[in-house]
Amino acid sequence: MSYVELHAHSAYSFLDGASLPEELAARAAELGYQALALTDHDGVYGSLEFAHAAKNFGVRAITGAEVSIEGGAHVTLLVETSQGYANLCRLLTHAHAGTRPNDGRDLLPPSLDPRLLEELHEGLVCLSGCARNGLGVRDPNATARLAHAFGRESFFVELQRPYERGDTKRNVALRDLAETLKVQTIATGDVHAHDAHRATLQDVLVAIRCHTSLDGCERERRGNHEAVLASPADMLERFPDDRDAVARTVDLADRLRFDLTEELGYRYPDFSDGVEPASVQLRRVCERAFAERYSTSNRLEQAQVRNRLEEELVLIDELGLAGFFLLHWEVLELAREVASEVRGPG
């Protein structure tokens, strides 16, 4: 394996990405990827869906986001540890704060104060951003400050080659920036579709977002259709002068071992009382409800409901969610008691 894609967008990058998370995961498996990062715009909306799908396809999911910085520049953040995931969520919350004004104005775009990123960087790896609006392209001084905050092992200057005018000049400048900052470069594809046949849809989505025609958003819509998940071999060929930056993606991906499906650390209370496990308590609640609701039903209906109940209880037990359902049942019971007290007798 010579390459891992560390910058990819799904349809959760609204009106920009054109593929579902599971489509990206399936295509990555077809192309032989060992890992793939999902970095949607200013959010981790599809990350859990992607993580489960990728695991099913034998691809290791890397969690991340492309985050908008004050002034309009972007950086790519990748999660290395559970602390990094917590920090990413905090940063995204700050970026979205104030985007919903109360005075009737339209929603504002997310925007993060870079000073917060300098503070909340533990457990994260930062790439300098995309070819068009990356922080490395738009503000080298701010890039230098972030590189200093993250350190040489966790900050990389991001190289992309979308086959647009100025690619060569831009990448020369970015290589020089990396050398000045004494950090390494890394290659990414800025993926917006899992397959070439979906690129036309991506064009249309961008035109809708820009409120214009296809011709009117030629720059924004990546008209050359290169923002598609490519094979590792194709990516190596795309960067003939930066093969080390391509190979470095594999080394970095190997560091990014955070598993969103297992490492969040939160578990619903299981309500075990030392005598009965939560699954037994939940079954008793369900049996009581079954008797109340279906005691007068015919045998066929009772059998159908019983079979469905057994299937649901088995699944809940396998997923360890008995505590979740007991918690919500207790909340509903408390609400009924409060409502009864408010109404009073009669």
Side-chain angles (χ1 to χ4, degrees), residues 243-290:
R243 290 178 176 265
D244 57 340
V246 174
R248 200 168 287 126
T249 62
V250 180
D251 296 332
L252 178 55
D254 194 52
R255 283 174 48 190
L256 304 174
R257 291 284 173 172
F258 172 77
D259 186 344
L260 189 58
T261 67
E262 296 181 356
E263 297 186 29
L264 288 181
Y266 179 77
R267 297 291 182 272
Y268 285 103
D270 64 10
F271 284 83
S272 297
D273 56 9
V275 179
E276 288 185 324
S279 58
V280 174
Q281 296 178 51
L282 178 62
R283 174 176 288 277
R284 187 168 60 251
V285 170
C286 293
E287 291 289 355
R288 187 163 58 245
F290 178 86

Side-chain angles (χ1 to χ4, degrees), residues 24 50 56 61 78 113 117 124 212 229 289 320 322 328:
L24 287 166
F50 173 69
N56 289 335
L78 303 171
D113 184 338
L117 184 51
L124 292 171
T212 186
L229 188 61
H328 284 267

Side-chain angles (χ1 to χ4, degrees), residues 55-246:
K55 182 171 287 189
N56 289 335
F57 287 113
V59 176
R60 188 163 51 79
I62 297 171
T63 302
E66 186 177 36
V67 180
S68 301
I69 303 296
E70 287 181 358
H74 301 159
V75 293
T76 310
L77 298 179
L78 303 171
V79 175
E80 186 171 7
T81 66
S82 56
Q83 182 60 55
Y85 181 73
N87 280 335
L88 177 60
C89 291
R90 292 188 183 99
L91 291 167
L92 292 171
T93 298
H94 283 293
H96 284 270
T99 59
R100 294 165 173 79
N102 296 321
D103 56 6
R105 289 180 295 161
D106 293 336
L107 296 181
L108 301 173
S111 181
L112 179 68
D113 184 338
R115 292 174 296 183
L116 287 170
L117 184 51
E118 293 173 26
E119 295 174 9
L120 300 173
H121 66 270
E122 182 182 349
L124 292 171
V125 170
C126 183
L127 314 184
S128 66
C130 60
R132 295 177 176 182
N133 295 304
L135 189 66
V137 175
R138 297 184 58 167
D139 193 339
N141 291 330
T143 303
R145 290 192 293 272
L146 275 189
H148 176 73
F150 275 82
R152 295 179 60 185
E153 298 301 316
S154 296
F155 188 90
F156 296 83
V157 171
E158 192 170 354
L159 303 179
Q160 295 181 350
R161 195 182 178 200
Y163 295 111
E164 295 178 337
R165 183 177 299 174
D167 275 3
T168 301
K169 181 179 179 181
R170 180 187 62 256
N171 283 340
V172 167
L174 288 171
R175 288 189 213 104
D176 290 344
L177 177 63
E179 185 175 352
T180 299
L181 300 179
K182 295 181 172 54
V183 298
Q184 295 179 314
T185 58
I186 202 155
T188 68
D190 199 13
V191 170
H192 284 70
H194 75 287
D195 190 82
H197 78 270
R198 195 63 64 81
T200 302
L201 173 60
Q202 203 264 335
D203 286 347
V204 174
L205 293 174
V206 173
I208 294 171
R209 189 183 79 232
C210 295
H211 304 286
T212 186
S213 64
L214 291 174
D215 290 339
C217 62
E218 182 176 357
R219 178 182 183 276
E220 291 82 359
R221 66 182 172 85
R222 301 172 176 84
N224 56 15
H225 292 174
E226 293 298 331
V228 171
L229 188 61
S231 70
D234 287 342
M235 292 303 294
L236 194 61
E237 184 177 340
R238 185 180 295 190
F239 291 92
D241 299 324
D242 297 286
R243 290 178 176 265
D244 57 340
V246 174

